[in-house]
Amino acid sequence: MAAAVQPKLIVEADAEALARAAAERVMARIAANSGRIAICLTGGSSPKKLYQLLGSEAWRGRIPWQRVHWFIGDERFVPASDPLNNMAVARATFLDRNAASSHIHPIPTATETPQQSAEAYARELRAFYGSESLDPSRPLFDLVLMGAGPDGHTASLFPGFPEIEESERWVVGVPRANVAPFVPRVSLTLPALASCREMLFEIAGHDKQPILTRLLNGETLPALRARSTGETVWLVDSAALPEGIRGPR
């Protein structure tokens, strides 16, 4: 599977339409795999409406929960019970009521350091995948959900930080964050995130217009460098779209 040259830009009318479009793409990826499915979730504000949809009565019955495993692309190095914990939000919103606990794979944060947490999660990912190295023809994930921060970071890979250049490890500890909340992080690396059939960015709201402008102008920020070995999609609402740009394309 060759890396995509250019992300596909899809524009929806508003945040609600964007969440529905994202949910449909999740379902399409699930339907495309008759075996074990791996979905990598994201934190932040971008996916909350999507998670609410997936947990709603109208959508949860469409998910074959017994076949889907749920991972997360990055985590704040805080206790699992902390409101800042990304997976805790996903669990409370839709996972705990629907998915078996053995199918939920949070990044462990009870270790002494973020790097120890990263090493533990890398071991879990390798055990799930069944290999110590990633094969481009056999993606780790069916779908990776992503967002773009105001500085252009994605997952917890920040511009100018050494972790963005990691090419061997699957998961890294990030001692400090570039944006609030200023807590240490644990993040999958670009190679691990790229090992997916689809990488789906959700970018919504007028406050995302400046960073989307920079990304569309080709500034080599982490959110632009993150590409799937399969398909990369930027799902954007009209409020985030810079003037003069039209979608979908």
Side-chain angles (χ1 to χ4, degrees):
M1 298 172 70
V5 175
Q6 183 69 22
K8 180 179 182 181
L9 178 67
I10 300 175
V11 182
E12 297 292 342
D14 52 35
E16 286 70 25
L18 185 149
R20 289 193 297 272
E24 290 291 1
R25 296 194 75 89
V26 171
M27 297 310 306
R29 283 295 163 189
I30 290 174
N33 185 349
S34 61
R36 187 179 67 170
I37 299 158
I39 294 178
C40 186
L41 303 174
T42 186
S45 59
S46 299
K48 288 183 179 178
K49 291 182 183 295
L50 168 62
Y51 295 168
Q52 290 167 354
L53 271 184
L54 295 178
S56 69
E57 187 173 352
W59 287 82
R60 65 189 180 200
R62 298 173 58 185
I63 298 174
W65 296 97
Q66 73 281 5
R67 292 197 293 114
V68 185
H69 287 255
W70 307 88
F71 296 85
I72 191 122
D74 74 307
E75 189 56 87
R76 287 103 178 234
F77 194 65
V78 296
S81 59
D82 193 299
L84 293 177
N85 188 281
N86 287 330
M87 187 61 103
V89 173
R91 295 186 74 146
T93 307
F94 79 106
L95 286 179
D96 280 347
R97 292 191 299 273
N98 299 288
S101 60
S102 60
H103 285 212
I104 303 172
H105 304 269
I107 292 174
T109 55
T111 59
E112 291 186 5
T113 67
Q115 188 52 44
Q116 289 177 344
S117 174
E119 291 166 0
Y121 206 51
R123 287 193 296 270
E124 181 168 1
L125 287 173
R126 289 190 178 99
F128 180 85
Y129 185 66
S131 176
E132 292 292 311
S133 59
L134 293 167
D135 180 351
S137 68
R138 186 170 68 90
L140 172 59
F141 301 112
D142 292 271
L143 178 71
V144 170
L145 296 173
M146 301 281 268
D151 61 346
H153 80 269
T154 195
S156 283
L157 301 174
F158 298 101
F161 283 34
E163 294 81 16
I164 188 65
E165 304 301 337
E166 178 60 49
S167 61
E168 298 296 330
R169 290 179 291 175
W170 295 20
V171 192
V172 290
V174 183
R176 62 187 180 92
N178 198 42
V179 297
F182 296 101
V183 297
R185 313 288 182 94
V186 181
S187 182
L188 270 65
T189 59
L190 287 182
L193 293 165
S195 184
C196 61
R197 299 189 184 281
E198 179 176 338
M199 181 179 287
L200 178 62
F201 281 82
E202 288 186 83
I203 305 174
H206 185 73
D207 61 332
K208 291 297 178 72
Q209 193 175 107
I211 193 58
L212 184 57
T213 300
R214 294 170 66 187
L215 294 172
L216 289 171
N217 285 337
E219 192 169 338
T220 54
L221 296 165
L224 184 64
R225 292 178 61 182
R227 300 286 179 89
S228 170
T229 52
E231 183 177 21
T232 303
V233 176
W234 290 354
L235 194 55
V236 178
D237 75 350
S238 59
L241 199 66
E243 292 185 12
I245 302 295
R246 296 289 180 266
R249 73 178 188 195

